[in-house]
Amino acid sequence: MSATENLVDFETALQTYDPVLGFEVHVELNTKTKMFSSAPNAFGDAPNTNVNEVDLGLPGVLPVVNKTAVESAIMIGLALNCQIAEKCGFARKNYFYPDTPKNFQTSQYDDPIAFDGFLDVELEDGEVFRVEIERAHMEEDAGKLTHMGGAAGRIQGADFSLVDYNRAGVPLIEIVTKPIVGAGTRAPEVAKAYVAAIREIVRNLGVSDARMERGNVRCDANVSLMRKDAEAFGTRTETKNVNSLRAVDHAVRFEISRQAGLLDAGESIIQETRHWHEDTRTTTSGRPKSDADDYRYFPEPDLVPIVTTAEWIEELRSRLPEPPAERRKRLKADWGYSDAEFRDVVNAGLLEAIEETIAAGATAAVARKWWMGEISRLAKNAEVEPTELGVTSATIIELNALIEAQKINDKIARQVLEYVIAGEGAPAEIVEKRGLAVVNDDSALGAAIDDAMAQMPDVVEKIKGGKLQAVGALIGPVMKATRGQADAGRVREIVLEKLGVDG
Ligand code: ADP
Ligand code: MG
């Protein structure tokens, strides 16, 4: 592990070198059935229950292409501003490994369904960085191996391995970028923003569940360094399965530091795959990988080519939802939030929640106040997401209506919210049951005020003498007597009225 001993500080590394990045992102589609068979595409079922003879490559069976998967692929291509191939086919990528019982993966080779696109990703400060897309092609996932008895679930040292073919044949779209140059010190941020943008697009299209923790979106990160005065790219490494946004950021950062250490020492970079280790935030060597790895690709003889007509493509284009970046721009303008307010909402992951609350009838200011304020605070204390507290748009609207009708004040509203979260019911119901309504009834207030004045004759004299701010001294005892439910403004009015002083 000499590599990790010579790490060069990230900022220092980027004074000498420019990073070049490339991403291969695999997106699992959420079709009902698999890419080439009628077996269910479902997560979490008992091992080897969602498998049929096509997935197992039994003799004499024929695959059939899943039309919905092709449509999803085209929609992803269109969302990534790609050209769509008029005609494309499948190929066999041959390799022997127990995760693929057919001994080949059905994929696309030199004629991907979508190619030559781009994606504009927004960085945290609002700057836009364009990532060019090389291709998006269709393929099938492999089965899942679980290695038993070894350390950290690895095959090395394992006693035996279990194989689950439920995932074999699940439709995948692999999206490959062109080399990304010019990111400089923002390379980790660009990497993270790119993967986040892909995840947002496929989720928004509804073609994938897009849950990284379930492997619905998986990322291989290619990184190389070139001296600032060099003309050709350096040798890349491909870090496999960096499967969270944070890991994407860290893996790119680590590879830059590691490769700079080797290059500074006059060593060369080996073109290889690398394993990502979440615990140590480091990568270790995987297998050597040349650009000409020979998978003996050949055209899949059992599948006819796919022909995409212009009408079909246009029909699919008409189904595309508003692109996420445009949607954000529109919402920001509609809601009238400042740049900082809007960015905070996006970074808190509360865009949808706030949009829903506004759609249900709240003003943009009220929706933001509750979601970004008290709900976020309570969520942080409970260590959950704000949307997981069970607060609905209806709760917020009802709470706000109670405040506007002056039934409760802001402070009591926050208490009521806690009771709602605790499952006591709807806000109005809780206010009623717990007797939390502000005391506006002048006779009850009047009695409390009379008591307070009787106990503080000196204060009363001061007020009569024109020192109106002395009223403040009476408010405390009145609040106490009404258990905080008196309206301070109203108390002041009544005191002045009783003493015949002009406010
Ligand atoms: P492979 O079959 O090796 O996985 P792909 O073409 O599928 O190759 O993906 C390689 C990825 O690496 C692409 O995103 C490509 O743009 C990127 N890439 C190519 N050369 C370099 C380089 N020198 N440095 C960083 N990334 C690179
Ligand atoms: Mg690849």
Side-chain angles (χ1 to χ4, degrees), residues 208-224:
S208 171
D209 293 346
R211 292 174 64 168
M212 292 188 84
E213 72 282 9
R214 287 192 174 182
N216 297 146
V217 176
R218 311 197 286 265
C219 173
D220 301 339
N222 293 266
V223 178
S224 70

Side-chain angles (χ1 to χ4, degrees), residues 6-130:
N6 299 324
L7 294 184
V8 175
D9 166 70
F10 176 76
E11 305 284 340
T12 312
L14 294 184
Q15 282 162 17
T16 316
Y17 306 100
D18 282 328
V20 177
L21 310 175
F23 297 98
E24 299 159 68
V25 174
H26 286 90
V27 176
E28 267 185 1
L29 300 178
N30 58 4
T31 49
K32 287 199 191 71
T33 59
K34 291 188 178 177
M35 188 74 218
F36 305 110
S37 90
S38 58
N41 169 20
F43 180 89
D45 290 344
N48 297 308
T49 52
N50 298 332
V51 180
N52 72 13
E53 55 280 11
V54 174
D55 308 316
L56 293 175
L58 298 185
V61 299
L62 285 173
V64 177
V65 176
N66 181 330
K67 185 177 177 193
T68 305
V70 176
E71 294 194 327
S72 299
I74 295 174
M75 298 216 313
I76 290 174
L78 292 174
L80 296 175
N81 307 292
C82 287
Q83 310 286 314
I84 305 300
E86 286 174 22
K87 186 176 171 192
C88 64
F90 289 94
R92 292 188 179 184
K93 180 181 182 180
N94 295 283
Y95 69 93
F96 177 77
Y97 203 63
D99 62 0
T100 301
K102 300 187 295 183
N103 291 341
F104 60 84
Q105 179 191 30
T106 308
S107 181
Q108 292 196 282
Y109 184 45
D110 46 16
D111 54 351
I113 189 154
F115 53 95
D116 279 350
F118 65 87
L119 178 59
D120 285 334
V121 302
E122 225 175 285
L123 305 183
E124 261 173 41
D125 65 0
E127 200 194 308
V128 172
F129 191 98
R130 177 162 293 188

Side-chain angles (χ1 to χ4, degrees), residues 442-493:
D442 286 352
S443 67
L445 258 188
I449 290 169
D450 287 341
D451 280 355
M453 291 199 299
Q455 278 162 34
M456 298 183 173
D458 47 332
V459 172
V460 171
E461 285 314 309
K462 278 187 194 159
I463 299 170
K464 279 186 178 160
K467 281 199 158 184
L468 298 191
Q469 69 270 35
V471 176
L474 296 172
I475 291 178
V478 173
M479 282 292 179
K480 203 170 165 196
T482 57
R483 302 199 327 275
Q485 291 159 35
D487 179 73
R490 185 73 192 125
V491 173
R492 186 173 187 279
E493 275 170 24

Side-chain angles (χ1 to χ4, degrees), residues 20-24 93 134-135 137 174 176-180 220 222-225 233-238 240 271 289-291 293 295:
V20 177
L21 310 175
F23 297 98
E24 299 159 68
K93 180 181 182 180
E134 170 89 36
R135 57 192 276 154
H137 70 251
E174 179 175 341
V176 183
T177 68
K178 293 185 178 160
I180 301 169
D220 301 339
N222 293 266
V223 178
S224 70
L225 294 181
F233 292 163
T235 302
R236 67 184 161 108
T237 60
E238 179 181 342
K240 301 298 250 180
Q271 187 167 336
K289 188 175 176 185
S290 77
D291 282 327
D293 269 348
Y295 288 108

Side-chain angles (χ1 to χ4, degrees), residues 396-410:
I396 293 171
I397 288 166
E398 196 176 323
L399 270 178
N400 191 62
L402 289 166
I403 296 172
E404 285 190 343
Q406 294 182 331
K407 289 232 170 64
I408 55 175
N409 57 28
D410 241 60

Side-chain angles (χ1 to χ4, degrees), residues 146-400:
T146 307
H147 307 295
M148 308 298 287
R154 296 202 171 274
I155 193 166
Q156 289 84 357
D159 297 325
F160 59 93
S161 300
L162 298 171
V163 58
D164 175 8
Y165 289 127
N166 282 352
R167 203 178 63 185
V170 165
L172 284 186
I173 306 300
E174 179 175 341
I175 303 164
V176 183
T177 68
K178 293 185 178 160
I180 301 169
V181 293
T185 51
R186 306 195 79 169
E189 197 193 340
V190 167
K192 185 174 158 187
Y194 170 72
V195 178
I198 294 284
R199 184 183 64 171
E200 188 178 30
I201 283 176
V202 298
R203 178 182 292 161
N204 200 30
L205 288 171
V207 298
S208 171
D209 293 346
R211 292 174 64 168
M212 292 188 84
E213 72 282 9
R214 287 192 174 182
N216 297 146
V217 176
R218 311 197 286 265
C219 173
D220 301 339
N222 293 266
V223 178
S224 70
L225 294 181
M226 59 195 289
R227 279 196 180 274
K228 286 194 179 277
D229 55 7
E231 291 190 348
F233 292 163
T235 302
R236 67 184 161 108
T237 60
E238 179 181 342
T239 303
K240 301 298 250 180
N241 293 319
V242 266
N243 291 339
S244 73
L245 295 180
R246 208 182 325 114
V248 172
D249 176 318
H250 290 147
V252 167
R253 202 174 279 276
F254 178 79
E255 270 303 287
I256 288 173
S257 291
R258 187 188 69 85
Q259 291 184 17
L262 288 170
L263 294 172
D264 278 358
E267 292 179 45
S268 50
I269 308 298
I270 302 166
Q271 187 167 336
E272 62 182 359
T273 66
R274 297 188 64 86
H275 301 295
W276 169 245
H277 304 283
E278 189 66 52
D279 47 353
T280 52
R281 293 186 181 168
T282 58
T283 65
T284 54
S285 184
R287 64 181 163 91
K289 188 175 176 185
S290 77
D291 282 327
D293 269 348
D294 195 353
Y295 288 108
R296 293 180 176 78
Y297 275 100
F298 66 83
E300 165 62 67
D302 288 344
L303 290 167
V304 292
I306 291 169
V307 174
T308 59
T309 61
E311 297 78 56
W312 191 23
I313 293 174
E314 286 322 304
E315 195 268 312
L316 292 170
R317 195 191 299 280
S318 75
R319 276 200 243 158
L320 293 182
E322 186 182 22
E326 275 172 38
R327 168 166 169 257
R328 281 198 293 272
K329 218 176 285 168
R330 173 177 58 82
L331 293 178
K332 178 170 175 289
D334 282 358
W335 298 350
Y337 291 177
S338 71
D339 289 351
E341 285 170 351
F342 194 77
R343 201 177 315 132
D344 287 348
V345 167
V346 171
N347 293 339
L350 287 173
L351 203 64
E352 278 74 29
I354 289 181
E355 187 181 21
E356 202 185 298
T357 302
I358 293 171
T363 65
V366 165
R368 194 179 75 84
K369 170 182 131 178
W370 285 99
W371 282 110
M372 295 300 289
E374 195 60 10
I375 300 172
S376 287
R377 193 184 68 80
L378 294 171
K380 201 169 164 209
N381 290 347
E383 295 182 9
V384 296
E385 292 300 316
T387 48
E388 291 171 345
L389 285 174
V391 179
T392 63
S393 295
T395 308
I396 293 171
I397 288 166
E398 196 176 323
L399 270 178
N400 191 62

